[in-house]
Amino acid sequence: MRSVEEQLALITAAAVTPEPVRIAISEALGLRCAEQVEGTHALPGFDQAAIDGFAVRSVDIRQAVEMTRRNRDRHDDLPPEEEEGPVSQDVRPILPIVGEVTAGSHRPVRLQPRQAVRVHTGAPLPTLADAVLPLDWADVQGRRMEPLNSLNSGQFVHRKGSDVQPGDVVVEQGAVIGAAQVGLLAAVGRDKVLVYPRPRMAVMSFGPELVDIDRDPGLGQVYDVNSYALAAAGREAGAEVNRIGIIAGEHRRLKDVIEGQLIRSEIVVITGAVGGEASDRLREVLGELGEMDVSRVAMHPGSVMGFGTLGPDKVPTFLLPSNPSAALVAFEVMVRPLVQLIRGQRQSGRRIIQARSIASIESAPHRRGFIRGQLMRDRETREFLVDPLGAASGGGEPMHLLGSHGLSNCMIIVPADVTHVAPGQVVDVMFLSIRA
């Protein structure tokens, strides 16, 4: 019996990263960048207003606010009989508003000392202006305004090149392109980017008992669950999936169908071909296309599986169990890491944390258990807790039920030398996709 690590080593050794392709940045979301992208010009390309307000010289505002303060102090120092009322208009530090600049304006504006220009967010700053006074920091009276607060040079201003300078790296080679990276590429004027494409995956099911979901199954027949479930798992992992569905027919037809997918795929997944007389016929076909090894792996469920490299391009090909639950576990443990590796991911595995089991778990001896569970967090202690699903005594048939997959958000990993986990015991837990 082969260990999980030995099987994974065979699989990852067969990974071949597709050649990078140049695509539109609007199509690059979720892909890994295959080049280092540098800025060619300053971003922003000019000093611009960060908020709506008045473009000013900060020194004028500081002087105006200081004058207001001195006037008030002098007024407060007068005895009651000598008070003359409010500070007279002619000594109040009022700046004239000499113009207005909106975002996108191409008209150059020059600011003179002790003047203000109304500016909108994103507008280019007038020459000599070095700060923006917010609207609520000013007492506006028609075409004049009195500053109420002081400010420093550069305040509420996006300086030219403050975000990106020419030569700055905006997207690293190997980085996953997310929404921010798409925005940065657009900001530096890149309409296309070199990326590692999603690996193409063909998914098909084999078995005389299978019918597609558009037909009613007869006696002894079951719906083809696996090609749908594994195609979805492949897309979730980041592959470009072609669901072939059920494959059937005589030797020549089976070979033609599989050969056709080997030509256009980086990964091929076939389920329902690891045991029984019918699978012998399929494995004979696969043997003519390359090296295929079917063996037991020290894990459960899904211990019996096949892997090989087929066709002239040595395409990694998987044979997974017919049971949908076992097939999904085998896909998660064996196929998904290969997809991540081909995509150029630095870390191909899921995140693993520790959690306290709230129920007992029975696991098969000498095989690593991958048991579905519901991960949660204690509101008071913030400790991770996990509720095992489908972990019947002895690790028997309930382990293979598909229904608990729909309730699970993690897999509990039980070491091969452990057959019993008591309630309250700490276990390793693998995060699955987080559903909204």
Side-chain angles (χ1 to χ4, degrees):
M1 187 180 293
R2 194 175 289 150
S3 71
V4 171
E5 287 76 16
E6 289 170 337
Q7 184 74 3
L8 274 173
L10 288 174
I11 292 169
T12 55
V16 178
T17 302
E19 288 296 316
V21 295
R22 194 169 297 279
I23 64 173
I25 62 171
S26 57
E27 304 298 322
L29 186 68
L31 298 180
R32 191 163 292 277
C33 190
E35 63 174 324
Q36 180 172 286
V37 181
E38 298 178 355
T40 56
H41 56 273
L43 180 68
F46 51 87
D47 290 349
Q48 62 180 200
I51 60 171
D52 286 358
F54 298 97
V56 293
R57 297 194 320 158
S58 58
V59 63
D60 292 339
I61 301 304
R62 287 197 298 271
Q63 290 174 352
V65 171
E66 178 62 23
M67 181 183 296
T68 299
R69 186 189 64 78
R70 287 199 304 268
N71 288 340
R72 285 175 179 163
D73 289 347
R74 186 167 58 252
H75 184 268
D76 291 343
D77 289 342
L78 291 174
E81 62 275 10
E82 295 183 21
E83 287 185 0
E84 300 176 358
V87 179
S88 60
Q89 251 335 77
D90 58 343
V91 297
R92 289 176 61 188
I94 293 177
L95 279 65
I97 303 169
V98 298
E100 184 172 7
V101 182
T102 59
S105 173
H106 301 291
R107 181 174 59 88
V109 176
R110 183 178 180 84
L111 184 71
Q112 298 298 328
R114 292 178 295 281
Q115 290 182 345
V117 172
R118 174 77 167 88
V119 290
H120 297 257
T121 302
L125 246 63
T127 306
L128 295 186
D130 67 342
V132 174
L133 186 74
L135 289 177
D136 56 359
W137 287 15
D139 180 11
V140 180
Q141 303 161 21
R143 298 300 299 172
R144 300 187 302 174
M145 72 88 177
E146 179 182 2
L148 304 177
N149 293 298
S150 184
L151 79 170
N152 300 318
S153 179
Q155 201 164 354
F156 302 111
V157 173
H158 291 316
R159 289 293 191 189
K160 178 180 178 179
S162 59
D163 198 353
V164 175
Q165 290 282 351
D168 283 355
V169 176
V170 295
V171 180
E172 295 275 3
Q173 182 176 2
V176 175
I177 297 176
Q181 286 72 29
V182 172
L184 279 166
L185 290 167
V188 298
R190 290 288 296 270
D191 62 338
K192 293 186 177 180
V193 63
L194 195 67
V195 297
Y196 296 108
R198 292 179 176 85
R200 297 169 298 173
M201 176 188 294
V203 177
M204 55 194 86
S205 295
F206 177 80
E209 77 282 10
L210 299 177
V211 295
D212 207 346
I213 57 176
D214 60 354
R215 292 177 51 193
D216 292 328
L219 182 63
Q221 293 181 318
V222 295
Y223 285 127
D224 169 28
V225 172
N226 284 349
S227 72
Y228 288 95
L230 297 183
R235 293 187 185 99
E236 184 185 65
E240 181 183 313
V241 179
N242 181 20
R243 190 192 70 83
I244 309 303
I246 302 168
I247 57 172
E250 43 78 33
H251 186 102
R252 182 70 256 173
R253 176 171 173 75
L254 286 174
K255 188 174 181 181
D256 287 346
V257 171
I258 296 169
E259 273 187 313
Q261 296 309 312
L262 291 172
I263 293 171
R264 56 179 64 93
S265 306
E266 278 80 45
I267 301 173
V268 172
V269 176
I270 307 173
T271 67
V274 293
E277 183 178 342
S279 67
D280 292 340
R281 181 161 53 91
L282 178 61
R283 285 158 63 180
E284 182 182 338
V285 171
L286 298 177
E288 296 177 9
L289 298 173
E291 299 178 1
M292 175 59 66
D293 171 68
V294 177
S295 60
R296 283 191 174 273
V297 178
M299 61 178 283
H300 74 99
S303 62
V304 181
M305 65 179 68
F307 177 75
T309 53
L310 306 184
D313 295 327
K314 303 293 184 183
V315 176
T317 303
F318 293 84
L319 299 183
L320 301 185
S322 58
N323 180 276
S325 180
L328 280 169
V329 171
F331 186 99
E332 179 66 38
V333 177
M334 298 297 173
V335 186
R336 191 179 190 279
L338 180 63
V339 175
Q340 299 299 301
L341 193 62
I342 292 177
R343 290 182 62 210
Q345 294 276 14
R346 297 185 182 94
Q347 182 65 37
S348 61
R350 299 267 200 184
R351 181 186 173 195
I352 295 179
I353 64 163
Q354 290 193 317
R356 195 173 301 280
S357 179
I358 64 174
S360 64
I361 304 171
E362 304 297 328
S363 185
H366 312 301
R367 290 190 287 168
R368 185 179 304 175
F370 293 91
I371 297 162
R372 298 170 302 284
Q374 283 185 329
L375 187 66
M376 60 200 83
R377 206 161 193 176
D378 189 286
R379 290 184 178 180
E380 294 182 0
T381 66
R382 307 304 297 163
E383 181 184 27
F384 282 110
L385 305 174
V386 65
D387 183 13
L389 304 172
S393 176
E397 285 306 308
M399 285 287 296
H400 293 79
L401 295 179
L402 183 62
S404 56
H405 261 288
L407 302 174
S408 63
N409 60 5
C410 69
M411 283 202 299
I412 303 165
I413 303 174
V414 182
D417 59 353
V418 175
T419 58
H420 176 76
V421 175
Q425 220 171 312
V426 174
V427 292
D428 286 338
V429 173
M430 179 193 298
F431 273 119
L432 299 180
S433 295
I434 299 174
R435 291 183 289 273

